[in-house]
Amino acid sequence: MDAFDSRRADELATLLALHEQGSFSAAGRQLARHPTVLSKRLSALEQRLGIRLVERTTRQLRFTDEGERLVVRVREASRLIAEAEEEATEGAASVRGRLRLALPAAMGRRWLSGMLADFVLAHPQVTLEAEYADRFVDLVGEGFDAAIRIGELADNRLVASKLCDHVRILCASPDYLARQGEPAKPEDLSKHNCLGFSGLRSFPEWRLTRGNHQVSVKISGSLRSNDNEALLEAARRGVGILAGGDWLMGEDLAAGRLVRVLAQWELDAAAGIYLVRPSARLNTASLGAFKVWVAEQFKEGPPWRR
């Protein structure tokens, strides 16, 4: 049977409708078909694949693990087809439509929000939907077109363009260092009040690198948080030593509110800041325009180092 055979398309449409609506009657109303027709389509699909996709009872439907996985893949395929049709209709040169982006919360608010505003002004036919969160969203499963990510990339389903290195450093206020002294080597951090970012994958360890030498230190302190900006304010007030990106602490360093600690060492030296997109996603005109735009913003280096 051909992949675009109408019977196969009807079966897959039935599967998606059942998953969305939760019953044959509701799915039948969505597809304008009698529930018995949908039941026959589902049975035909299960027989063709040789697996059970949905457990049926008199009151509810429960998708099997195989059924759930198939729904995810069919939705991906459906989005690709819809995007292909949209691209063919609008033309490759037409920068329009919705663009859904996932952005890191603190860094995004501080440094990227202005870029996004300028991008929308430059492309008035694009509707930009930006979600700021420190979690790594599932771009494929949650329907994002692209994301800007900080750290090391492990998801091989993504196509990544590196915007810049992510330089993470240690800082503290002059008041804290006057009271507690300055650590001379990474191991001294275990004796200091260290402000812990619980969103860090290696928390509560700090991995410091100097050239080819790496040291891991388990830190502790009186304050930990999943919000970088809250920890930054605590560091300004002399609570303890903060580890973070230079995008977070650069302005305070320049103003003298913070002082760099263990200046010859960096944290997680292999990390970067990337624009990523799902490898299966078509490069639409709006996404292509955004890629060019954001690359231009970082061409002379990240804005916080200028």
Side-chain angles (χ1 to χ4, degrees), residues 195-200 203 223-231:
L195 306 175
F197 177 54
S198 57
L200 189 65
F203 179 83
L223 178 62
R224 63 177 63 177
S225 174
N226 66 345
D227 186 83
N228 275 306
E229 291 175 308
L231 296 175

Side-chain angles (χ1 to χ4, degrees), residues 13 22 43 72 97 106 125 131 151 178 184 192 219 222 235 261 272 292-293:
S43 296
V72 170
Q125 291 185 299
E131 179 172 316
H192 281 264
I219 58 101
S222 59
V261 174
V292 172
W293 178 274

Side-chain angles (χ1 to χ4, degrees), residues 172-183 188 191-193 238-241:
S173 71
D175 177 61
Y176 174 85
L177 296 177
R179 286 185 286 110
Q180 303 296 333
E182 185 171 345
D188 294 341
K191 305 171 187 175
H192 281 264
N193 196 43
V239 176
I241 297 176

